[in-house]
Amino acid sequence: MAKVPVQFTLNGSEKAEFIDSGTTLLNALRDKIGDTSPKGGCHQGTCGACSVIIDGELRLSCLTLAETCNGTTITTTSGLSESGVLHPLQRAFLDTFATQCGFCTPGMIMAAKVLLDHTPNPSRDEVVEALSGNICRCTGYEPIIQAVLTAARANSQNAA
Amino acid sequence: MELRKNYFADVRKDDLHEIGQPRPRSDSPGHVTGKTAYFADRNFPGMLHLKMVRSPHHHARIRSIDTSEAEKHPGVVKVLTAKDVPHNVYTILILIQIGPEDETVLADGKVRWKGEAVVAVLAETERAAQEAAAKVKVDYEVLPAVFDMEEALKPGAPLVNEYHGQNYYLYDSGECRKVRFGDVEAGFAGADHILEQSYQSSPIEHAPTETTGCVVAPEGNDRFTCYTNTQAMFFTLDNTSIILQMPGSKLHFVGGTVGGGFGGKVDVIVEPIAILGAKLTGRPVSFIYSREEEMQISSPRAAEKVVIKDGVMTDGRIVARKVTGYTDAGAYSRHSPYGAQKGAGHYPGPYTIPNVWIDTYCVYTNRTPSSAMRGFGVTIGDFALEVQMDKLARLIGMDPLEFRFINAYRDGDMKAHRQPTEGAALIECMQEASRAANWPVAEKFMAMSSYKKGA
């Protein structure tokens, strides 16, 4: 199988890999690069557990071919906290018990981050809409929605 | 959260330090930073991928299995059939002396449900394993199948599972679990009204976000580390030990992170065959259900049918209850005989009824084996019982909540299984529910207590 070179910035670090053509970004991140924070839940673009941010946009890494990511900037949940300090979203998920088994959490946090990056003070409906592509089976959506709203409030207080 | 301390103030200690206090979960920091290690986050050099060849038929005799083409497929390292499994016929609950062993790890001579594992293929890549699995030729003689519990119980129905000899589980109490209390027919004879209704449910899939699977690494010296998302670590360890005829000391199970389970990960399905693959190849093995397998192959909540006949007085007292429950185990027992038994214990409900008669059957059909799921055996029972309670209240023109107060069991009441009620708090829960839901009931019910002084 043909190997193709791929280069992108992952959580601030340059990554360069030779991968099998057709490899998904999810598999490339998990198996080649060793960032296992995006999770494979359905591998068909319906559960959202593999969500990552590519050039500011929320993307499903299980439906994205790694070879199409050349030159992009990719953010995953494992890259959110800086020098051990949790991102406001991570802090809010922790404080409001918005994570039970934790499997959907990295994808949820990515979806929430894209929302807050574009809409710093979202309404509850906007939060629900933004998380609608991410399936949670045990925590329940209400604590997750509350976590995102809590993080948004923390953000606006920081900005003020 | 409000902690109500006025209830049972005279019988309880009031030195609680933890209840009502928030405590951070120890695993949350790992979850929010993406650092929590789930089983599939382990990757080992040279890891093989296991794919299962599954039965396309609900019920069929296996005439022959030809794996020669699959073995020649590029990337294939090993192909496993029933003869490779040291103790191929097992049952999970044998650990607590519940038999007979009735399920094959890999099908031997016969398949009993569509999706049953027949041949395991181990290859260098997932794709190679998938392609090779498609090349395994199995010659089936399709047999008549039965999908309906009542059909399965009729004389002459196709026999689903030879290890049982009939299409129901044989308890030590006979063909079903039984509860007999008082004289149910006399109760019906004296009742003002009788209501008989039947209720049924479909199988329900747990759909955990993380699919079932495990990753096995050989440690040398015939020892194996199995990273798994099982919900039942010691069931899995001990059953694997039996299936592989290996001492448990050779098996090291690592778990504790489960990406959703809900009872769906208590069966011992992936670990034994993955460890066997690692043992026979000397290489790490990954066996992970695809989403399609998770939905089609993993054991769902059992389909159930419940027939409830109640005799009730116009003043609201239930005087007789007769219940026949059917639990669809599918082709193999797994946890279903236990589920059906739990139903027998549960059908009196949290109510004091003087005459009770209950039969619950665990029935075998050619459907996907069912197993544990969130209160299995009692959840559908509760649905049926509480719908029945509402119907009874309507029948006698009584408020449904007041009707429940009249029948709620209280300390000292004798339950149908001849265990006196202790520590009941149903009355108090219903009083709180009445307030919370703004559903007023008569003052005499608000003055009741589950705790009968002198009981």
Side-chain angles (χ1 to χ4, degrees), chain B residues 59 91 93 98-103 110 112-113 145-154 157-171 175 302-303 326-338 340 361-370:
Chain B
H59 196 189
T91 196
L93 293 179
I98 293 180
E101 294 182 302
D102 70 344
E103 178 163 8
K110 192 175 155 179
R112 298 177 179 86
W113 60 284
V146 61
F147 307 110
D148 180 89
M149 289 189 279
E150 279 162 290
E151 293 296 321
L153 290 176
K154 283 181 185 164
L159 182 61
V160 175
N161 191 320
E162 291 76 4
Y163 297 102
H164 291 281
Q166 67 285 318
N167 287 338
Y168 55 83
Y169 185 79
L170 198 60
Y171 290 97
E175 73 276 15
Y326 302 91
T327 297
D328 190 342
Y332 297 111
S333 294
R334 298 196 183 169
H335 290 79
S336 290
Y338 170 55
Y361 293 83
C362 172
V363 186
Y364 298 101
T365 62
N366 294 106
R367 297 172 75 181
T368 308
S370 58

Side-chain angles (χ1 to χ4, degrees), chain B residues 277-294:
Chain B
K279 189 179 160 88
L280 296 178
T281 61
R283 289 174 61 174
V285 170
S286 162
F287 180 16
I288 307 177
Y289 277 5
S290 67
R291 176 55 53 184
E292 189 182 356
E293 282 179 302
E294 188 68 43

Side-chain angles (χ1 to χ4, degrees), chain A residues 30 39 41 90 97 101-102 137, chain B residues 32 38 40-41 206-207 291:
Chain A
R30 289 176 57 86
K39 304 297 175 195
Q90 293 174 316
F97 190 59
C101 87
R137 290 284 289 141
Chain B
V32 301
Y38 298 85
D41 296 343
H206 319 70
R291 176 55 53 184

Side-chain angles (χ1 to χ4, degrees), chain A:
Chain A
M1 202 178 291
K3 298 268 185 193
V4 286
V6 185
Q7 253 183 303
F8 49 74
T9 307
L10 175 68
N11 299 325
S13 309
E14 288 296 319
K15 301 288 172 193
E17 293 287 340
F18 284 96
I19 53 153
D20 292 331
S21 181
T23 301
T24 63
L25 177 62
L26 175 66
N27 286 345
L29 288 174
R30 289 176 57 86
D31 300 341
K32 294 286 279 187
I33 294 171
D35 182 353
T36 56
S37 68
K39 304 297 175 195
C42 67
H43 297 274
Q44 55 193 26
T46 52
C47 79
C50 68
S51 301
V52 299
I53 302 173
I54 305 177
D55 290 339
E57 300 272 326
L58 187 67
R59 297 279 291 275
L60 294 163
S61 64
C62 77
L63 294 187
T64 304
L65 291 181
E67 59 208 87
T68 65
C69 297
N70 249 328
T72 60
T73 298
I74 301 175
T75 307
T76 67
T77 300
S78 67
L80 270 196
S81 50
E82 283 173 31
S83 24
V85 179
L86 295 182
H87 184 276
L89 272 166
Q90 293 174 316
R91 174 47 63 189
F93 269 68
L94 190 72
D95 288 344
T96 63
F97 190 59
T99 171
Q100 190 172 320
C101 87
F103 199 78
C104 71
T105 308
M108 286 283 180
I109 289 179
M110 288 291 99
K113 182 171 189 305
V114 171
L115 170 72
L116 297 191
D117 287 349
H118 292 112
T119 314
N121 280 303
S123 67
R124 189 180 186 283
D125 283 351
E126 284 171 317
V127 174
V128 170
E129 174 70 25
L131 299 178
S132 62
N134 292 64
I135 291 173
C136 165
R137 290 284 289 141
C138 44
T139 309
Y141 297 100
E142 203 50 47
I144 297 173
I145 294 164
Q146 289 309 320
V148 179
L149 290 170
T150 302
R153 277 197 296 275
N155 266 343
S156 62
Q157 280 161 5
N158 290 344

Side-chain angles (χ1 to χ4, degrees), chain B residues 104-118:
Chain B
T104 49
V105 176
L106 291 174
D108 191 8
K110 192 175 155 179
V111 287
R112 298 177 179 86
W113 60 284
K114 186 177 174 178
E116 181 158 358
V118 184

